[in-house]
Structure formats: C-alpha cells, structure tokens
C-alpha cells in the first residue's frame, strides 16, 4: 500500500460527483502521450485545477459509478502518478477497480461518502499486518462515533469529527497487491527485484 496511507496520516479530500468516467480521468485527446503528460489533463473537464493543485496523499471522494467507460488503464495510472492515496466512492466500474488495484491505487467502497466535504482532512484505517503504511486492525461494521467498535473487520474512513465510516472489506490478496505498489511490483518483490518507480 502507498506509504501515504497509514496510522496518523491525514488526507485532504477532493469531492467529485457521480459517474466520473475514464475519459474525464484520462482524456482521449491525450492518449497519444506518456503517462506524465496524460496526468496533466486529469479531470480537466470537471476540475480544471486538479492536476496542478493535487498533492501527494490527497484522496478523491466521489459519487457512485466511479471509473465507468472504457478499460483504459491510464485512467487509474494518472491518479497514481499524481500521488493520490485513495479513491473513496459507493461503487466503481469493475474494470476500473481491477486496473486500479493492479497499479497499486487503493479504492475503498463506502456508502457514507456524503458525510465528507471538499477540503476535509480525513484518516483511513486499514486492517492488516502491522508495518510501514499499514494501520492496525480495528473492528467495525457500521458508522460509529469516536471509534466505537462494531462487529465486522474492514477498512474505515475517519471523518474530521471522529465518525468512522465503514467501507466494504477488501480481500487480503488485493490489499497485498496494493501494499506492494501494484501487481508488477508484487511480482518483482517475489523475484527479489527492486520495485518500479511510478
């Protein structure tokens, strides 16, 4: 997982609406370029300032159906390139979800995103093995105040007022892939090679 997500780290929220498609994330007119240049056009039609103003560790909080449209991998790669730590939304395109995980971008499915506002500073709690970039496990299942435990383990978003917004569990093998920085880095890790720089 990105080192930017972990205990004690906070993340600035960029709010987007529903149905953000892959052409908005990686516009067709830029597809002839490399990922560095494509990233400069990310979200230009809905948030023209995004590519120049986003900072490493920021998160996107969006409405349902994030990543609909084509299967272009660049739509996830631009967010990784720009340093986005995670996307939090109620639902995703299946192809986008898989592409993002393959590239090491954390996607959290969370029904309670309406509680989060533009510019909020949030924390992300990810159950998992202790270590760099991994939050300690915390039991949860629904929204609670001030970290009250509920029954099911899963990731959570902690709003500025301390409310825990439960996210759907992410299978361990996918979290392992995100923690490694994506599928290629996971395979390189298994082969004893240095990770690729994004």
């Amino acid at each position: 997982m990105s080192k930017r997500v972990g205990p004690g780290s906070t993340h600035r929220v960029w709010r987007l609406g529903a149905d953000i498609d892959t052409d908005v994330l990686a516009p067709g007119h830029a597809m002839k370029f490399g990922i560095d240049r494509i990233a400069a056009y990310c979200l230009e039609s809905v948030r023209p300032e995004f590519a120049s103003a986003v900072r490493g560790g920021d998160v996107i909080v969006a409405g349902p159906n994030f990543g609909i449209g084509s299967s272009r991998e660049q739509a996830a790669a631009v967010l990784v390139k720009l340093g986005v730590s995670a996307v939090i939304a109620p639902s995703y395109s299946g192809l986008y979800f898989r592409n993002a995980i393959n590239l090491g971008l954390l996607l959290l499915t969370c029904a309670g995103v309406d509680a989060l506002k533009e510019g909020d500073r949030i924390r992300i709690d990810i159950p998992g093995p202790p270590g760099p970039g991994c939050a300690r496990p915390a039991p949860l299942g629904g929204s609670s105040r001030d970290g009250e435990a509920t029954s099911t383990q899963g990731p959570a978003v902690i709003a500025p007022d301390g409310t825990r917004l439960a996210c759907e569990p992410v299978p361990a093998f996918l979290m392992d892939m995100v923690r490694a920085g994506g599928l290629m880095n996971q395979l390189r890790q298994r082969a004893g090679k240095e990770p690729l720089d994004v």
Side-chain angles (χ1 to χ4, degrees):
M1 178 185 333
S2 165
K3 292 178 199 165
R4 296 176 301 265
V5 174
S9 60
T10 61
H11 309 277
R12 178 177 59 163
V13 168
W14 287 81
R15 280 302 313 229
L16 300 175
D19 305 318
I20 297 296
D21 65 40
T22 54
D23 199 48
V24 170
L25 293 162
H29 70 81
M31 296 305 292
K32 61 187 172 191
F33 302 117
I35 199 65
D36 290 339
R37 187 124 174 237
I38 297 170
Y41 299 102
C42 182
L43 297 172
E44 69 177 352
S45 65
V46 295
R47 296 292 301 265
E49 77 284 9
F50 179 78
S52 62
V54 69
R55 297 293 174 254
D58 288 357
V59 296
I60 290 174
V61 175
N65 303 318
F66 190 86
I68 60 173
S70 74
S71 62
R72 65 179 69 150
E73 187 177 78
Q74 294 91 336
V78 293
L79 297 181
V80 173
K81 188 67 182 173
L82 292 169
V84 171
S85 287
V87 178
I88 305 162
S91 62
Y92 302 88
S93 153
L95 285 170
Y96 187 85
F97 188 90
R98 192 61 199 193
N99 283 340
I101 297 293
N102 280 343
L103 293 170
L105 178 61
L106 178 62
L107 299 187
L108 294 175
T109 305
C110 181
V113 296
D114 288 342
L116 303 174
K117 307 296 180 230
E118 176 77 18
D120 277 354
R121 300 294 300 185
I122 63 168
R123 291 181 295 120
I124 299 173
D125 188 15
I126 304 293
C134 301
R136 62 176 165 60
L140 54 113
S143 292
S144 64
R145 284 294 220 170
D146 300 319
E148 292 173 10
T150 56
S151 62
T152 309
Q153 286 230 335
V157 173
I158 294 88
D161 68 358
T163 301
R164 293 180 70 92
L165 304 172
C167 302
E168 291 182 13
V170 179
F173 78 98
L174 293 180
M175 283 306 305
D176 288 345
M177 195 178 300
V178 171
R179 284 184 182 105
L183 177 60
M184 290 305 294
N185 280 336
Q186 187 179 47
L187 295 174
R188 291 180 67 83
Q189 200 174 59
R190 288 180 186 168
K193 297 181 179 181
E194 290 294 315
L196 297 171
D197 205 13
V198 180

